[in-house]
Amino acid sequence: MQSEPILQDLIQALRCLPGVGQKSAQRMAFHLLERDRQGAFKLAQSLAEAVDKIGHCSVCQTLSSADICGLCSDDRRDQQLLCIVETPADVMAIDGATSFKGVYFVLNGRLSPLDGLGPADIGLDKLVDRLKMGVIKEIILATNPTVEGEATAHYISEMAKKYSVRATRIAHGVPFGGELEYIDSGTLSHAFSGRSEV
Amino acid sequence: MQSEPILQDLIQALRCLPGVGQKSAQRMAFHLLERDRQGAFKLAQSLAEAVDKIGHCSVCQTLSSADICGLCSDDRRDQQLLCIVETPADVMAIDGATSFKGVYFVLNGRLSPLDGLGPADIGLDKLVDRLKMGVIKEIILATNPTVEGEATAHYISEMAKKYSVRATRIAHGVPFGGELEYIDSGTLSHAFSGRSEV
């Protein structure tokens, strides 16, 4: 087809979005050009600005446009409570859903020797420096309940022990609204072993 | 949450894409910033360029960065065959799937009196001018098989009659790979009334 190269470029560029294949990208391109040029213009600006300005917080490693992010520099938050998560998206999820008022530390990954990811690659040296400062009283491990996530949580809890900092792990069990019948066996056995007094 | 306003802007801007809600937009924003900044940069550029440069072809009304699009200006294509479609996406679909070597006319809509869309709004005055020129020998009506699409096709076929131009309609029936059992009754009755000699 003697097609418009600029349009083809746009379709190709849209495919960098997660979950967007050729068909969805075409649909998006036509939608933007035919029905929402203002939205497309705004999106182009927002993308350029975000790529240009957003880096990582030098304290907690989350995404931030400032050297120190809004969460770390907020003095109403409890600097003695440190929640460890794998990604900036986890920070957003936890901060949106819970009343946690401590600070975060984002690993931007997890220990994964097979992929060549060691402690330094996920910023654990930075975490050690922070533990040494003696401000932190409790570390809350909120890595994902996967093999690597659990291993990472275990590794960090050992680190915390060395500096006499309390380490806790978020609870894993049957999710609210879940039906026992359809819960996988791993979760169910975890829910039993982790039962608590009512 | 003391969240990054630039990040929130990006998430909001991504929601202009069709089928993208809050959660998908978040996922896209984090994916781009953490894993594909180059893709994000390229996308920003492509969007800005497309919005800036792509307009409508002055001959066939499809999306084009030139005054006359590549299809209309291609002299290997048969200017006597004119295929009428509703959207530029239809041009791409037909040109990708068929061996049609004529030219197109894009209505950018369909007759829809309830929405206040009359013949002039979908460029039918332009089509009349083209019919008057006497170059076109056959009009192929490829509007969608909806009520409005059918009405538009009928209206244009009447127009074509006035200028003694042959008007044909693409076939509607059971799609390839479709199973009769699951085909809607409208399509099935259409397939029967439109049967042809084998």
Side-chain angles (χ1 to χ4, degrees):
Chain A
M1 178 183 177
Q2 285 250 350
S3 179
E4 197 47 67
I6 297 178
L7 181 60
Q8 292 301 337
D9 270 1
L10 175 58
I11 293 172
Q12 220 44 44
L14 281 163
R15 294 191 56 183
C16 77
L17 296 171
V20 174
Q22 181 70 18
K23 273 274 168 189
S24 309
Q26 276 180 23
R27 191 169 145 241
M28 286 174 170
F30 285 120
H31 172 87
L32 291 176
L33 289 172
E34 284 173 68
R35 264 171 254 133
D36 195 4
R37 279 177 181 248
Q38 212 177 348
F41 182 71
K42 179 81 188 54
L43 178 55
Q45 281 190 316
S46 296
L47 272 169
E49 194 184 4
V51 169
D52 182 40
K53 298 208 178 133
I54 292 186
H56 292 275
C57 170
S58 62
V59 177
C60 74
Q61 305 193 110
T62 195
L63 293 172
S64 167
S65 61
D67 179 46
I68 297 177
C69 74
L71 291 163
C72 289
S73 59
D74 185 349
D75 51 17
R76 285 165 304 177
R77 299 190 77 104
D78 188 351
Q79 300 283 336
Q80 302 186 333
L81 277 176
L82 186 71
C83 177
I84 316 259
V85 293
E86 290 182 18
T87 67
D90 297 337
V91 174
M92 191 179 262
I94 293 174
D95 227 62
T98 71
S99 57
F100 178 67
K101 282 288 167 242
V103 288
Y104 295 89
F105 187 81
V106 180
L107 302 172
N108 283 315
R110 49 213 167 175
L111 287 177
S112 180
L114 287 178
D115 302 320
L117 285 179
D121 298 306
I122 58 173
L124 291 189
D125 43 350
K126 229 180 211 171
L127 185 59
V128 168
D129 293 343
R130 241 171 126 174
L131 289 173
K132 276 184 189 159
M133 282 160 60
V135 178
I136 297 159
K137 296 277 173 271
E138 180 179 346
I139 273 181
I140 298 166
L141 297 157
T143 52
N144 290 323
T146 56
V147 175
E148 290 94 348
E150 290 291 346
T152 308
H154 179 74
Y155 186 93
I156 296 173
S157 70
E158 293 292 314
M159 259 172 57
K161 236 181 242 171
K162 233 192 269 176
Y163 296 96
S164 318
V165 171
R166 186 181 170 212
T168 55
R169 181 94 172 99
I170 56 167
H172 296 112
V174 181
F176 270 104
E179 290 193 56
L180 287 189
E181 189 180 347
Y182 301 109
I183 298 292
D184 67 293
S185 56
T187 302
L188 207 50
S189 85
H190 212 109
F192 263 75
S193 62
R195 66 190 180 277
S196 61
E197 210 78 50
V198 289
Chain B
M1 179 181 176
Q2 284 250 346
S3 178
E4 195 49 65
I6 297 178
L7 182 59
Q8 293 300 337
D9 270 1
L10 174 59
I11 292 172
Q12 221 45 46
L14 282 163
R15 294 190 56 183
C16 77
L17 296 170
V20 174
Q22 180 70 19
K23 273 274 167 186
S24 309
Q26 275 179 23
R27 190 169 145 241
M28 286 175 170
F30 284 120
H31 172 87
L32 291 175
L33 289 172
E34 284 174 66
R35 265 172 254 134
D36 195 5
R37 278 177 182 249
Q38 213 176 346
F41 181 71
K42 179 83 188 51
L43 177 54
Q45 282 189 314
S46 297
L47 273 169
E49 195 185 3
V51 169
D52 182 40
K53 299 210 177 130
I54 293 186
H56 292 275
C57 170
S58 62
V59 177
C60 73
Q61 304 193 110
T62 194
L63 292 172
S64 167
S65 61
D67 179 46
I68 296 177
C69 74
L71 291 163
C72 289
S73 58
D74 184 351
D75 52 15
R76 283 165 306 177
R77 298 190 77 105
D78 188 351
Q79 301 282 338
Q80 302 187 334
L81 277 176
L82 186 70
C83 177
I84 314 260
V85 293
E86 290 183 20
T87 68
D90 297 336
V91 174
M92 190 179 263
I94 293 174
D95 226 64
T98 71
S99 58
F100 178 67
K101 282 287 167 243
V103 287
Y104 295 89
F105 188 81
V106 180
L107 301 173
N108 282 314
R110 50 212 167 175
L111 286 178
S112 179
L114 286 178
D115 303 320
L117 285 178
D121 298 307
I122 57 173
L124 291 189
D125 42 351
K126 229 180 208 168
L127 186 58
V128 168
D129 293 342
R130 240 172 125 173
L131 288 174
K132 276 185 188 157
M133 282 161 60
V135 178
I136 297 160
K137 296 277 172 276
E138 178 179 347
I139 273 182
I140 299 166
L141 296 157
T143 52
N144 290 323
T146 55
V147 176
E148 290 93 350
E150 290 290 347
T152 309
H154 180 74
Y155 187 93
I156 296 174
S157 69
E158 292 294 313
M159 258 171 58
K161 236 182 242 169
K162 233 192 271 177
Y163 296 96
S164 319
V165 171
R166 185 181 170 213
T168 56
R169 181 94 173 102
I170 55 167
H172 295 113
V174 181
F176 269 105
E179 292 193 55
L180 287 190
E181 189 181 347
Y182 301 109
I183 299 292
D184 66 293
S185 55
T187 302
L188 207 50
S189 85
H190 212 110
F192 261 75
S193 61
R195 68 190 179 277
S196 60
E197 210 78 49
V198 289

